[in-house]
Every structure is written in C-alpha cells, then in structure tokens.
Amino acid sequence: MTVPLLMDYGGLIEAIAICNPDGAANRALLRAHRNLLSQLPSETAVTILCRAADREALSQWLQRIGATSVRLLPASAPLRSDAIWIQDHLVVRQQGRRRSYLGIVSEHPYDSARWLGHDDGTPVETSRIRLSGGNLLVGRNFRILGAGSIEAEARGWTATRWRGALARYAALDPRPLHLYGYGPDPASPPILQEPFHLDLALALTGCRTERDEPIVLLARPARTMPELDAAAERLRQSGFCVLRNRVPVLSGSIVGYNNVLIENALRPGARRPLVFVPQFGFGEDGAVLALWRVLGFEPRPVPGWAPFIFPGGALRCAAKILKRGAWRGMERVIPDRTLRAIARRAAGPTTNC
C-alpha cells in the first residue's frame, strides 16, 4: 500500500531540514536561518544540509547563536546557490510511524532525499515524475498541484498527454487532486499558473467553513492580476473557500507572505497552534500576522526574507518538514461572521466562498 504524502498542516513539526549552500559568505541567508531557528520550538529536530568545506564555519556560527543541537549534514555532491530551496528537492510520505523520502525530478535537481535518508535511516524512493515540492500542497482529504507541473510532465499540451500526466500525479496519493491555474477557456483544463510555484501565493490553513469547505489563503496583489483571480475562482468551483489577503508586488514578483509553515495541533501548555510566517519589513508584516490570529493561530514572525523576493522564495521554500507528530483533532471551523469581518478589514472583495 502506498504511504500517503505528508500533510502541510496538522501535527506538530518534529523534524525539519534547511540548506545553506554558501557557508558563512551569505550573510542574508545566515540571518534568515538564525531567525527561523530562534522561533522553532527547542524540541524540533533541525538538519542543515551544507557543503563539506563549510561544515566547520557553520558549526562555529551555530555555537555563536546558541543552536548547538542543530545537525550539519555535508552533501556528497556540489551545491549551487539555488540549493537553498530545499522544499523543491523531495516530497515526504508519512502514515503513523511509516515514513519515506521520495526523490523527484525538480527544477533544483539535488539528491537531498538520498542524503537525508542515509543520515537518519528513512527509506528512500525515487520517481521520474516532474515535480517540485513548492508546487504541491497536501491537506487532510485533498491535494492541490500547480498546473505548470502537469505541463512540464506532459512535455507539450495535447489532451492525451495532459490526461496521462494527470494520471501519474493522481497515483502518488489516494487523496483527490485539484489543480491550481487558469486557462483561456473557462471549460478547459488549466494549462498555466501564476506564480511559477503555487506556495508563493497560496497557503493551506487546516480550517473549514461552516459548510465544511477547506479554507485556503491566496494572495491578492496590490496591482491587478487576473491570473490569480481566475485561479481563485477555479479553486472555489472545486469546493474551497478562498480567503484573499493583500500583498505587495515588487518588479513583478509577489511578496511571499503566504509561504508559511503551519501546525494545527497544540503544543503542551499552548492555547493556540503555531504558524511560522515570513516577514519582509513592509507594512503588510503586521497585517498578515493579525489575519492568522483571527483564524485562531499564534503566529511566530520570521524576519529576514526581503533579500529573497527576487530569487523567488521565502520561508516554506527554504525549509522541508521531514516529520510531523500525530494529529487526531478536527479542523477548526471558522464562522461566517469571522470570514466577513476579515473581508471588511481588507476593504475589498477578498473571499471566494
């Protein structure tokens, strides 16, 4: 039996991996990683993938910031600067104690699945499917895949190739597969997407409406982007409540406020579940934290991601959750009055529910 893909919400984050391919030279990345390490609970196991030549310098850096429990894992092959986007390198399967890493064909083709599996003893599988972790979000009883991945797997658009590629993605997991994207014909399959990875604009919340619709959070850029409006409508037609939040756009790049790491289980002594939210130093920093509070979370801000807007990534792109704890609770129901209040606060048509 195929072990399901690891959800993007639910249980506590027990193990996570990040990647530093530049050693001590990339001060911006060191700051962003330091801020993440300072916000993660102390019981979360952290592994940093790095170059062998940088191990000593990074070990000294970890000692200086008081993160001595973090493990350094030297890669057995060269790492380029784009290796920081470790989310894309692999996907994780987990059901109870059964867990495996699945190596995939990504835009960032690093063998992180094998490196991590050799290090922590997790079984490793390989797949020839074209997929990046940043273009996939997995919920309790659904998955959302960016249409660009299907286009890449199909290697050209025809109805037959599209159906074949879609079937290969559907076989990865038993949960129904929904597509994020838009097309010129409202009745046609979505063949394009914006941005190039859906997690730069879309986040799962692990919450539901009173009508049992999964609530997702989709960026509403400061300038008009009909591509995102069309994607929101397709998600709504697929049964999602699409909550929109305002985000800036810089030189054509959406600022990735929705590129988050989320828990729905409660940590011991906590009254609210945690969500780790990237911060960029803009006025929207506080607004996005307030939105998550209204949804019932305790947001932990992680500053330092402004230098990575143009490379096209943020917090979730730069972190890979490797293991979650059990989660047997129900998804939180958000009353309609709360959703309406969020819409009023945003001063515009911000929901597709």
Side-chain angles (χ1 to χ4, degrees):
M1 181 181 70
T2 300
V3 176
L5 298 174
L6 181 65
M7 289 169 53
D8 279 287
Y9 58 85
L12 303 181
I13 299 170
E14 294 185 349
I16 194 169
I18 57 180
C19 181
N20 181 330
D22 301 325
N26 190 335
R27 297 296 180 181
L29 184 58
L30 288 179
R31 283 193 296 271
H33 280 172
R34 179 198 63 203
N35 294 335
L36 174 59
L37 295 177
S38 70
Q39 290 288 38
L40 287 172
S42 59
E43 60 268 26
T44 303
V46 181
T47 299
I48 299 181
L49 189 65
C50 65
R51 297 180 300 194
D54 296 323
R55 184 171 189 170
E56 181 58 32
L58 289 177
S59 178
Q60 294 175 6
W61 169 72
L62 289 170
Q63 290 179 13
R64 287 196 300 271
I65 66 172
T68 55
S69 63
V70 173
R71 288 174 50 79
L72 291 170
L73 174 60
S76 58
L79 297 175
R80 301 182 302 274
S81 292
D82 66 352
I84 65 173
W85 311 125
I86 194 171
Q87 178 67 233
D88 296 333
H89 303 180
L90 71 155
V91 293
V92 180
R93 298 186 186 275
Q94 182 177 327
Q95 186 175 50
R97 295 184 179 181
R98 297 178 64 189
R99 192 164 61 101
S100 62
Y101 300 144
L102 178 64
I104 48 183
V105 181
S106 168
E107 298 102 320
H108 308 297
Y110 296 100
D111 203 5
S112 301
R114 183 174 60 83
W115 298 331
L116 290 163
H118 184 267
D119 181 63
D120 65 15
T122 300
V124 177
E125 310 169 57
T126 57
S127 172
R128 297 179 63 84
I129 199 163
R130 293 177 179 271
L131 176 64
S132 286
N135 216 20
L136 175 70
L137 291 167
V138 181
R140 186 187 66 184
N141 56 359
F142 64 87
R143 291 174 287 155
I144 304 177
L145 175 72
S149 292
I150 297 182
E151 186 179 21
E153 177 70 11
R155 303 189 186 192
W157 194 91
T158 67
T160 300
R161 288 182 174 182
W162 179 277
R163 286 194 297 268
L166 186 61
R168 290 191 286 278
Y169 286 106
L172 283 176
D173 186 278
R175 283 167 279 209
L177 182 64
H178 302 273
L179 300 182
Y180 171 88
Y182 65 96
D185 179 356
S188 71
I191 58 173
L192 301 169
Q193 70 175 88
E194 178 66 37
F196 65 97
H197 283 174
L198 61 82
D199 70 349
L200 291 170
L202 185 70
L204 307 186
T205 66
C207 301
R208 298 256 169 174
T209 67
E210 294 173 340
R211 292 162 299 285
D212 202 37
E213 301 157 322
I215 298 173
V216 298
L217 187 62
L218 179 64
R220 185 172 183 238
R223 64 174 176 82
T224 302
M225 291 188 69
E227 303 93 337
L228 265 69
D229 296 336
E233 178 59 22
R234 285 186 180 273
L235 288 170
R236 188 196 66 79
Q237 292 176 1
S238 296
F240 293 90
C241 170
V242 185
L243 189 64
R244 307 294 297 274
N245 64 314
R246 296 184 184 275
V247 301
V249 178
L250 297 180
S251 300
S253 295
I254 295 172
V255 177
Y257 277 105
N258 295 345
N259 201 238
V260 300
L261 304 174
I262 188 169
E263 300 177 340
N264 296 87
L266 289 175
R267 290 189 173 269
R271 300 178 61 183
R272 291 181 165 213
L274 298 179
V275 58
F276 302 87
V277 183
Q279 302 278 269
F280 300 89
F282 304 133
E284 289 80 3
D285 279 6
V288 72
L289 298 179
L291 188 154
W292 283 104
R293 290 190 187 99
V294 172
L295 290 174
F297 291 87
E298 180 59 43
R300 289 198 172 183
V302 183
W305 295 99
F308 304 98
I309 293 171
F310 299 115
L315 178 55
R316 183 182 186 269
C317 297
K320 190 70 183 184
I321 297 173
L322 303 178
K323 185 180 180 182
R324 284 188 183 271
W327 181 56
R328 299 179 179 86
M330 298 296 293
E331 292 175 314
R332 185 184 302 104
V333 174
I334 306 299
D336 287 344
R337 64 179 181 275
T338 301
L339 296 175
R340 289 193 295 266
I342 292 172
R344 288 194 300 270
R345 180 180 299 180
T350 56
T351 60
N352 291 71
C353 297

